[in-house]
Amino acid sequence: MTEAESKKEKMTIVVFSGELDRVLAAFMLATTGASMGMEVNMFFTFWGLNVLKKNKGGVKSKGLMRKMLNMMNRGGSSRLPLSKFHMFGLGTWMMKKLMKEVNMPSIDEFIQMATDMGIKMIACTTSCGVMGLAEEAFRSEVDIMTGAAYFLGEARESKVTLFI
């Protein structure tokens, strides 16, 4: 690590929500921070893991309850609901249409931008264990799978830490 890299300000974001509007906020802040020269880590946990799940195919899990959970909660960036006014998908459809009209990136585009900008996307292994998610359930853009101790180490060094 060069001296310039070690002096870079850091931002760490916990992405706890799997709802479209909150995930958009997380990616807007992350990409803005990276564009300002910050080192950005996004730590996805519990419902936030839905963002990083593959859009295609099912999730293979062990145990009846985990299989049921993953059948009801397929996840994937294309299936994120709104936190309010979801209205059985109509609100989400309207939001995506409005985003397109103003040239706002989709979640998939934000994920690609984040990858291109060097933003680290981290999946929480503890949440994965509870929910029965293996590494194969996630997109290739996931940088690492690790636990809360790693996040706390990053947060301790961060100038900005957010929980979304």
Side-chain angles (χ1 to χ4, degrees), residues 20 82 85-86 89-99:
L20 178 63
L82 282 177
F85 309 119
H86 178 64
L90 182 61
T92 303
W93 174 82
M94 287 170 38
M95 178 64 85
K96 287 180 179 181
K97 187 165 177 49
L98 292 170
M99 288 167 55

Side-chain angles (χ1 to χ4, degrees), residues 50-51 53 55 75-80 96 107-108 111 139:
N50 284 339
V51 179
K53 285 182 184 177
N55 284 317
S77 58
S78 64
R79 291 188 276 275
L80 303 177
K96 287 180 179 181
I107 295 297
D108 288 329
I111 290 171
R139 305 168 67 112

Side-chain angles (χ1 to χ4, degrees), residues 6-108:
S6 65
K7 291 187 181 207
K8 213 177 203 189
E9 290 181 330
K10 287 175 106 173
M11 178 192 308
T12 305
I13 301 172
V14 175
V15 183
F16 175 77
S17 174
E19 297 166 322
L20 178 63
D21 45 326
R22 292 178 179 163
V23 172
L24 285 168
F27 274 104
M28 282 190 272
L29 291 167
T31 54
T32 300
S35 72
M36 295 171 68
M38 297 180 88
E39 178 186 324
V40 180
N41 294 292
M42 297 178 80
F43 186 77
F44 296 82
T45 188
F46 287 99
W47 305 122
L49 289 168
N50 284 339
V51 179
L52 300 179
K53 285 182 184 177
K54 293 177 183 172
N55 284 317
K56 305 268 189 220
V59 175
K60 293 179 176 74
S61 301
K62 292 182 181 173
L64 180 62
M65 285 192 288
R66 286 185 181 96
K67 284 180 183 178
M68 287 173 52
L69 178 65
N70 286 309
M71 191 170 38
M72 293 183 296
N73 180 43
R74 288 181 30 219
S77 58
S78 64
R79 291 188 276 275
L80 303 177
L82 282 177
S83 62
K84 294 188 184 285
F85 309 119
H86 178 64
M87 300 179 290
F88 301 104
L90 182 61
T92 303
W93 174 82
M94 287 170 38
M95 178 64 85
K96 287 180 179 181
K97 187 165 177 49
L98 292 170
M99 288 167 55
K100 197 172 215 166
E101 284 180 15
V102 297
N103 295 318
M104 182 178 188
S106 67
I107 295 297
D108 288 329

